[in-house]
Amino acid sequence: MKIHEYQAKELLKRFDVPTLFGRVVFTPEEAGKIAYEDFVVKGIDTIVLKTQVHAGGRGKGYIFDKESNIKIELFGKEVRGVNIIKGDNLADKVYQYSKAILGNKLVTIQTGQAGTIVRRILLEEGVSIAKEYYAGIVLDRQTGQNVVMASTEGGVEIEKVAEETPHLILKEYINPFPGFREYQARKLAFGLGLYGEPYKHFVRFIINLVKAYEELDCSLLEINPLVLTTDGRILALDAKMNFDDNALFRHPEYTELRDIEEESPLEVEASKYDLNYIKLDGNVGCMVNGAGLAMATMDLIQLSGGSPANFLDVGGGANVQRIANAFRIMMSDPNVEAVLINIFGGIVRCDKVADGIIEALKTVEVKVPIIVRLDGTNAEEAAKTLKNSGIKFKVATTFSEAARMVTEVVKQK
Amino acid sequence: MSILVNRKTRVLVQGITGSEGTFHTAQMIEYGTKVVAGVTPGKGGINYEGKENIKFKKPVPVFNTVEEAVRETKAKASVIFVPPNLAADAILESIDAGIELIVCISEGIPTRDMITVYEALKRSKSRLIGPNCPGIITPGECKIGIMPGFIHRPGTIGVVSRSGTLTYEAVKQLTDLGLGQSTCIGIGGDPIIGSQFIDIIELFNMDRGTEAILMIGEIGGNAEETAAEYIKKYVKKPVIGFIAGRTAPPGRRMGHAGAIISGGKGTAEDKIKALKDAGIYVVDSPADIGLKVMEVILKMPKKRGPKPGSARRKSKLKKNPKEIIKEIEDSIKK
């Protein structure tokens, strides 16, 4: 599960990880008001406007008009995903910028040309930066341990650093017994060349960061950049926090942090029915039981000349209701020109699944060709049921037969 | 021959009285697995026979703790059917009781819990398969898990996979072509799993009853790459590989908690390349897995090849396998 930067910073504050003063806003009016009351009145002369979307690369992204797709300019400058505003009439400028940004779309390397609509902005006080660093914590699958990383190469994509200059990323593994220790934080601090007060602040910062990561059940926590200010403070200038989906049951409060507007509407709909659905750009929809088989089915669609429109795992108990919901969601995607159902009946019986498909089609209208492949327990009865149903299925028994049928259907288009 | 489990394996079921536990215990007993005990805290002392519509062939004694069950029944393997919030505890209990082989079916265990389990595992003699896996089966002898038994057939292909239904698909393709399996193992789709490809492939490599190895991987992590390195250096038996997820978009979790391309790492392309570089026969289409294995088997020299029983000698390792695994892991980390 992903959350916004401002939400991550709120959580980090609870663990005494230092961040800047900031407020989130949802409308231009609110932005102007808060900029005046909480910033200008307090003597803050620089406000940073940071768009809050789940995609990365915001600093290098630009704002485009939602309708006309034209790059938006303000005061003779292009409006970016992150804007530093200073000088006179600060609150008014913040209002103007927020008006230009909110409701329009941000295009970054990660969003692609389609971009993503901005609905929230974080207003943050400006700060004078002496140096930018990187700090991150992530699971290392190989060792089965979390690893704390730090680098002098802050503010740039860490993947790029890892690729080009891996020796500049310092790593400390966290052995669960005895846990992350202070000496490890010291090693990182010295490795970054810190000394004096900043060194002490950094050690504290990292220890608290690890504590936050573990207690919050994060799957990723990245501070990029982590900055040393000219007055010697260590701060989290940005924060990216993902949670381990498997641990959400331990944190019921996280439901409030979920921003469904950042998710694909079809995926949100699917999650209501406990269906594992991911929307893709292709033309052949697929409905499969099991994640591995679902991925393999997507691959098979591509090898057969089509392109998968989705990932959809209906799970083990493929009953009528589930199948009907799955059909409905899959068919809401206008790009779908054909559907491939691939169910391997192990514990579930194929004839039951076949009944489920026929029942489901009484409630959902599907106008595109449907290829059904049911293999495993009672596959033959299932094939008979499908053929006698009066619905024009293309029935395959093997995976390769299904592949051929996909090719045929795609060619006719 | 087979690896890890056979008809003598004495199995206990953790969470036997739950609905999943009951259903699959019945199926396992039906298949011929020696289920000697069940554990459900608070229900110790009963002889469990199943539920209204699911009756066991023979009753299974239930104990309050794994330790007690082991002491009374000499169980050597355990299989876990408990909810994910209790599963890590169940694994730790089995480790503590000295169970040799732990199979955890439960899906959805938090990573933080698995980090603890993984460390405890390293300090023990237990081996864990899973979590989030279908389990292990030696066809005709012993099934510990949730896979449909009837698609399997005894033979000489060792199967190891991160998936569930995709494994069934592959196994059925093999069986339909008359290719039986020595042992099939689903190692699980989570980021932290007890046994990696490399651990299982090492065992298949030493097993006299395994002629060829089928490895089914997927996007995410680099377990396939590590295995490929190992295979290149130490495995003389033919290995056939398939990687699922060529069409998976980056940054999205494809059902399995561990199936995600993150930061450009863990793509199918990288894995396929690593496999090919290691001399593994890579299948492009998931529909052709069985055919590819057949093709490789037919190409194997019949008489001049390794005689039955020589596989172990041939692949005898100069170093301790654990050291080799560590060596490879270190080289990858660098």
Side-chain angles (χ1 to χ4, degrees), chain A residues 2 139-146 159 162-163 166 171 173-178 213-219 243-247 249-251 267 276-280 288-300 302-303 308 311 313 342 344-347 373 375-378 398-401 403, chain B residues 23-24 27 84-85 108-116 118-120 122-123 143 146-148 150-151 162-163 165-166 168-169 172-173 176 190-192 196 218-223 226 242-249 251-260 263-265 284-288 329 332-333:
Chain A
K2 292 179 180 177
L139 173 71
D140 179 69
R141 293 163 66 150
Q142 201 83 31
T143 56
Q145 294 180 346
N146 287 313
E159 284 84 14
E163 192 75 31
K171 290 182 179 178
Y173 288 82
I174 308 176
N175 188 314
F177 319 116
Y213 178 92
E214 289 182 339
E215 285 185 23
L216 297 171
D217 274 305
C218 296
S219 59
F243 298 129
D244 173 10
D245 293 334
N246 285 353
F249 70 86
R250 280 207 279 251
H251 307 274
E267 291 176 17
N276 211 330
Y277 171 90
I278 294 173
K279 194 188 168 317
L280 303 169
V288 188
N289 65 333
L293 190 59
M295 273 189 272
T297 305
M298 285 161 49
D299 296 347
L300 188 88
Q302 192 173 57
L303 286 167
F311 167 93
D313 175 7
N342 187 16
F344 195 96
I347 303 302
R373 184 267 176 150
D375 202 350
T377 317
N378 294 357
T398 65
F399 212 1
S400 48
E401 226 179 309
Chain B
F23 179 80
H24 291 292
Q27 298 264 321
N85 56 333
I109 305 178
T111 302
R112 174 152 52 115
D113 299 2
M114 275 312 294
I115 288 175
T116 310
Y118 197 74
E119 185 61 30
K122 275 199 269 182
R123 299 173 186 205
K143 162 179 129 104
I146 58 172
M147 66 288 276
F150 74 95
I151 57 170
R162 275 167 71 184
S163 165
T165 43
L166 178 57
Y168 311 160
E169 169 70 42
K172 180 138 190 305
Q173 286 182 24
D176 285 350
D190 274 2
I192 300 183
Q196 300 275 0
E218 64 190 31
I219 55 159
N222 63 350
T226 314
F242 173 74
I243 304 291
R246 286 169 186 239
T247 48
R252 300 302 306 269
R253 225 167 271 284
M254 307 302 283
H256 292 155
I260 179 167
K265 292 270 155 55
D284 285 326
S285 165
D288 299 335
E329 281 177 359
I332 284 176
K333 227 187 274 169

Side-chain angles (χ1 to χ4, degrees), chain A residues 5 23 30 49 84 98-99 107 127 143 156 202 211 216 249 253 354 360 367:
Chain A
E5 172 195 0
R23 292 285 305 271
E30 200 186 354
L49 255 85
I84 300 169
S98 303
K99 208 173 162 193
V107 176
V127 68
T143 56
V156 291
F202 180 86
K211 212 170 157 200
L216 297 171
F249 70 86
E253 72 278 11
K367 286 180 181 159

Side-chain angles (χ1 to χ4, degrees), chain B residues 1 71 93 123 166 170 182 189 216 252 308 326 331:
Chain B
M1 285 290 287
R71 198 171 53 230
E93 186 180 356
R123 299 173 186 205
L166 178 57
S182 53
I216 300 170
R252 300 302 306 269
K326 202 173 171 300
S331 75

Side-chain angles (χ1 to χ4, degrees), chain B residues 121-180:
Chain B
L121 211 55
K122 275 199 269 182
R123 299 173 186 205
S124 75
K125 289 197 175 98
S126 303
R127 180 190 292 273
L128 170 68
I129 293 178
N132 190 10
C133 79
I136 174 170
I137 182 169
T138 291
E141 299 195 27
C142 177
K143 162 179 129 104
I144 306 180
I146 58 172
M147 66 288 276
F150 74 95
I151 57 170
H152 300 80
R153 152 189 179 143
T156 58
I157 313 294
V159 180
V160 57
S161 165
R162 275 167 71 184
S163 165
T165 43
L166 178 57
T167 317
Y168 311 160
E169 169 70 42
V171 165
K172 180 138 190 305
Q173 286 182 24
L174 292 176
T175 297
D176 285 350
L177 291 169
L179 296 166

Side-chain angles (χ1 to χ4, degrees), chain A residues 264-278:
Chain A
S264 141
L266 283 180
E267 291 176 17
V268 174
E269 181 74 9
S271 70
K272 282 184 201 156
Y273 304 108
D274 229 2
L275 292 166
N276 211 330
Y277 171 90
I278 294 173

